[in-house]
Amino acid sequence: MTVSAPDVAQDRARAGAGSPTADRTRPGLASRLETAAGRRLLLLAVWATLCLSAMIVGFLVSRLGLAGGPGAVAENDFAAFWAAARGAWSLGPTAVLDPAAVAEIQRFRPGSTAYFPFLHPPGLLAILLPFGALPYAAAYPLWLALSWAALAAAAVAALNPGAAGPRRLTLVLIAAGGPGLVMQFFSGQTTMLWGAILLAALALYERRRPLAAGLVLGLLAIKPPLCLLLPVAFVAARDWRFVAAAALSVLLVAALPTLWTGVGYWEAWLAALDEQGRRARANVHAIRDMLSWFSVARGLGASTGLATALQGAVALSAAAGVALVWARPDIPFAARAAVLVAALPLASPYAWYYELMLSALALAYLVRAGWGRGPLAWALFALVWVLGPFLPLLSNLVEARLILAPAATLTFAAALAFALSRPAADG
C-alpha cells in the first residue's frame, strides 16, 4: 500500500517541534490566531455565530403554527427533508420523489410560492426517517444540533496537528465554528453532516486505517454531486485497499436502503433529477446565491453551452490539481487534504452557497499545514470565513455568486500552490 501521510514524528521533525526557532518562524496567520487575543477573537466569533444561529432558528420556529396545518413548516431546505421523511412513513418511499406529494405535506403559509423538492438517493432518506416522526418544529432544531455536534466531533478527530502546529482548539473553531454556521442553520441543509463524514474519513485515512476510512467515506454517497473528485484523489494515491473499501461502502449505502425502498425508487429518482435539471438550467441565470461557475456564466448572460464549457474547464482543472497533489506522498497530508476539500464544491454545477463551508474546512487544514503568510492570506480567510457566508442574506443587493465562486476558487488555488511548494521548502 502506498504510504498516505508522514507520521507524527516526521511532521514534528519538519516543523522543528517545540523549539523556539519553530515558534518564531510560524506563519503569520497561524501565529496570530494562536495568541491570546486571536483565540479570544475566534471564541467571540464562534459564540456570536451560535447565538445568531439560535436566534434564527428560534425566530423561524416561533412563526410556525405549532398545531399543524398551513404555516407549520418553515420555507427552507430542511422542509424538503422533513416532508420526505414524513411522507415515507405514510405514502411510501418512492412517493416522496413526487414534488406534488412533498408540497402537500409541507403546506407552507398561504400565498407562498416556495418550492423544495426531495432529490436525494435512498440512503439519505433512511437517515432522515426518525425526523419525519416528529413535528417540524422539533425535528428542525434537533437536526441542526446533531449535525453540528457531528461536525465538531469530527473536526476534533481530524485536525490533530503536531506539537509545533496551531493548537487543536484553534483549528476546530475555524472548521466547525465559523460564520458559515449561520447559513447552515438558516437553510437546514446537509453540509454539516456531509462535512463531518468527510473529516472522519480523512482522519482515519491519515491514521493509516484505509479500510475503515474507505467504509466511512462511502457514506458521502448520500449527496453524490459533491463526491465527483473523491475517486480522483485516492486513485492518484494508489491506495487500492482504501478504494476497494470505499467502493464497497458506496454499494452498501445504495443497496441496503433499496431493500426497503425497492428498485423502483432509483428509476423515479433519475426521472426527478432529469426534471429538476431542466428546471435548473432554465432558471439558473436568475438564482443569485449559487456557487458554481456555471451559474456565474449564465448570470452574466453566457449561453448554456458556453457556461457548461466553463464549468467543465473548472472541474477538470480542479481534478488535475487534486491528482497532482495526491500522487505525491512527499507532500504533507494536511496540505493534500486542503487541496481535496477545497476542490470538491468546484466540480459540481449545482453547488449552492452553503457549500462554502467546505472552503472553511480547507482553510483549517491549510492553517494546520503552516499556510498563512502575508495580507492576501488574511484577506482570503476573511472572505471565506467571515464575509462569504453572509452574502446570500444580501442577495437582493449583491450578486452573491460573483463573490462565492471566486472565493471557493481562490481557496483551491491557495491550497494547491501551498501544497506544491511544501516539498521544496521542507527539503
Side-chain angles (χ1 to χ4, degrees):
M1 179 188 74
T2 301
V3 176
S4 62
D7 59 21
V8 174
Q10 290 172 317
D11 281 340
R12 294 180 177 178
R14 281 193 178 93
S19 70
T21 301
D23 290 339
R24 286 196 301 268
T25 59
R26 284 166 61 187
L29 184 58
S31 60
R32 292 289 181 86
L33 293 175
E34 270 299 284
T35 63
R39 287 196 296 273
R40 283 197 296 268
L41 185 61
L42 278 175
L43 284 169
L44 178 62
V46 172
W47 176 250
T49 293
L50 291 174
C51 288
L52 181 58
S53 299
M55 289 173 60
I56 289 173
V57 176
F59 174 73
L60 289 175
V61 171
S62 69
R63 297 176 62 204
L64 303 179
L66 300 182
V73 180
E75 298 171 19
N76 62 8
D77 291 296
F78 184 72
F81 304 151
W82 174 83
R86 201 166 188 85
W89 286 107
S90 58
L91 305 175
T94 303
V96 305
L97 295 171
D98 179 5
V102 171
E104 178 61 27
I105 298 171
Q106 289 167 342
R107 302 182 68 189
F108 296 129
R109 57 183 172 80
S112 172
T113 59
Y115 176 77
F116 293 98
F118 185 78
L119 299 166
H120 296 271
L124 180 60
L125 183 60
I127 292 173
L128 293 168
L129 268 180
F131 298 93
L134 300 173
Y136 177 91
Y140 175 40
L142 179 62
W143 164 259
L144 296 175
L146 293 177
S147 297
W148 183 78
L151 179 64
V156 169
L159 300 169
N160 182 26
R167 294 182 184 179
R168 186 188 301 183
L169 174 61
T170 299
L171 300 175
V172 171
L173 291 175
I174 294 172
L181 287 180
V182 173
M183 298 313 300
Q184 296 294 321
F185 277 56
F186 183 79
S187 68
Q189 257 291 339
T190 59
T191 311
M192 286 192 293
L193 176 62
W194 201 90
I197 298 171
L198 177 63
L199 289 179
L202 290 174
L204 290 167
Y205 187 81
E206 185 177 12
R207 288 164 173 76
R208 299 181 184 177
R209 298 176 61 186
L211 296 180
L215 291 174
V216 172
L217 193 82
L219 298 175
L220 296 177
I222 60 175
K223 193 168 185 177
L226 289 179
C227 298
L228 299 178
L229 298 185
L230 291 173
V232 174
F234 299 105
V235 169
R238 300 178 186 175
D239 196 335
W240 305 119
R241 285 200 297 168
F242 175 87
V243 171
L248 174 62
S249 181
V250 169
L251 290 175
L252 291 175
V253 169
L256 292 180
T258 303
L259 297 176
W260 161 56
T261 64
V263 177
Y265 185 98
W266 291 98
E267 182 179 357
W269 178 61
L270 292 174
L273 285 181
D274 183 61
E275 173 61 28
Q276 181 64 14
R278 285 197 295 268
R279 183 188 296 268
R281 287 191 295 273
N283 297 288
V284 68
H285 63 281
I287 304 175
R288 302 159 67 94
D289 51 2
M290 292 186 72
L291 184 147
S292 71
W293 283 101
F294 177 81
S295 171
V296 170
R298 291 289 289 127
L300 294 175
S303 66
T304 300
L306 182 58
T308 301
L310 175 61
Q311 178 64 41
V314 170
L316 288 175
S317 299
V322 169
L324 179 63
V325 168
W326 278 78
R328 297 179 57 177
D330 57 320
I331 296 176
F333 180 81
R336 286 188 286 153
V339 171
L340 174 60
V341 177
L344 294 175
L346 296 177
S348 173
Y350 201 64
W352 288 77
Y353 61 88
Y354 36 77
E355 260 85 70
L356 192 67
M357 173 169 275
L358 296 178
S359 297
L361 301 185
L363 286 180
Y365 270 116
L366 275 175
V367 172
R368 171 189 156 181
W371 169 86
R373 293 182 183 276
L376 291 179
W378 280 100
L380 180 58
F381 185 84
L383 177 61
V384 171
W385 203 76
V386 180
L387 176 62
F390 290 102
L391 290 174
L393 294 176
L394 307 174
S395 60
N396 290 330
L397 303 175
V398 299
E399 282 271 6
R401 58 187 166 191
L402 297 181
I403 302 174
L404 295 174
T409 305
L410 288 173
T411 304
F412 170 72
L416 181 62
F418 179 78
L420 293 177
S421 71
R422 283 306 298 270
D426 289 343

